[in-house]
Amino acid sequence: MKELVLILVTSALVNNVVLSQFLGLCPFLGVSKSVDTAAGMGGAVIFVITLSSFVTSVIYKFILIPTNLTYLQTIVFILIIAALVQFVEMFLKKSIPSLYKALGVYLPLITTNCAVLGVALLNVQKNYGILEGTVNGFATAVGFTIAIILMAGIREKIKYNDIPKAFQGFPIVLLTAGLMAIAFFGFSGLK
């Protein structure tokens, strides 16, 4: 239990996938214009990363290792992730069409979000079992959600500030992301 809590805190805060590992920057920078949209993307990412961590761990342990096909892990993981993202896309299109439209092109981009594949590969690299891998996936996705919602909240407030012309738009967003990364570096003492 202690190990699972350590994985949870470390993956969500200390080794935040966006702010310390720099994975998943495309949706982080693209979808973080509104808190509502960022929360929706965070929810979709939590679902996809958690479920893909579970499924990839099971397939790796019970299919790829016994058949000595571990060299196919990246291809297999990409196919699993693509299928899960298609499932999320169909679900959102049917049940929450406003969020589906707000996420736009970034929803299918979860398939190519390197954070999703990165977590699956890190689970294998760190020799996590199925439970540890799933907890790591969930915590990583929660860390992504925290980062994207914080960025969206800051971006909503930045709109109303007097920013020098050279920093308006994307430059101030990158500067903000850098400052957030420095702030999250403070969590490294929790290890």
Side-chain angles (χ1 to χ4, degrees):
M1 186 65 178
K2 181 180 174 185
E3 184 182 328
L4 293 178
V5 172
L6 185 63
I7 290 172
L8 194 72
V9 171
T10 302
S11 296
L13 299 175
V14 178
N15 295 326
N16 187 284
V17 70
V18 176
L19 300 173
S20 71
Q21 296 178 14
F22 306 113
L23 297 173
L25 288 175
C26 179
F28 174 71
L29 297 172
V31 182
S32 62
K33 293 177 183 158
S34 138
V35 172
D36 294 337
T37 308
M41 175 60 94
V45 168
I46 287 173
F47 178 78
V48 169
I49 290 182
T50 304
L51 197 57
S52 69
S53 294
F54 174 74
V55 173
T56 55
S57 293
V58 168
I59 287 176
Y60 185 79
K61 183 174 183 171
F62 294 114
I63 296 175
L64 295 180
I65 290 176
T67 59
N68 202 23
L69 295 173
T70 55
Y71 59 91
L72 292 175
Q73 71 185 12
T74 305
I75 294 169
V76 171
F77 292 176
I78 289 172
L79 292 173
I80 291 167
I81 292 165
L84 289 172
V85 170
Q86 289 300 310
F87 174 73
V88 169
E89 191 173 0
M90 290 186 308
F91 174 77
L92 288 178
K93 191 174 186 178
K94 282 246 185 225
S95 60
I96 314 171
S98 60
L99 179 59
Y100 175 78
K101 285 182 183 180
L103 291 174
V105 71
Y106 292 101
L107 186 58
L109 282 179
I110 294 176
T111 303
T112 59
N113 183 343
C114 53
V116 182
L117 179 60
V119 170
L121 293 174
L122 282 172
N123 287 342
V124 169
Q125 185 180 16
K126 292 182 178 183
N127 293 322
Y128 284 155
I130 295 170
L131 180 61
E132 292 92 354
T134 305
V135 168
N136 182 49
F138 174 75
T140 301
V142 167
F144 175 87
T145 304
I146 290 168
I148 197 171
I149 289 174
L150 285 174
M151 175 59 95
I154 292 170
R155 284 181 79 174
E156 283 183 354
K157 298 295 183 189
I158 285 177
K159 285 195 283 199
Y160 303 110
N161 292 336
D162 186 26
I163 299 170
K165 193 160 193 82
F167 288 104
Q168 290 179 359
F170 203 61
I172 194 69
V173 172
L174 290 177
L175 186 62
T176 303
L179 292 172
M180 285 176 62
I182 291 170
F184 268 69
F185 183 69
F187 289 120
S188 63
L190 293 175
K191 267 188 186 181

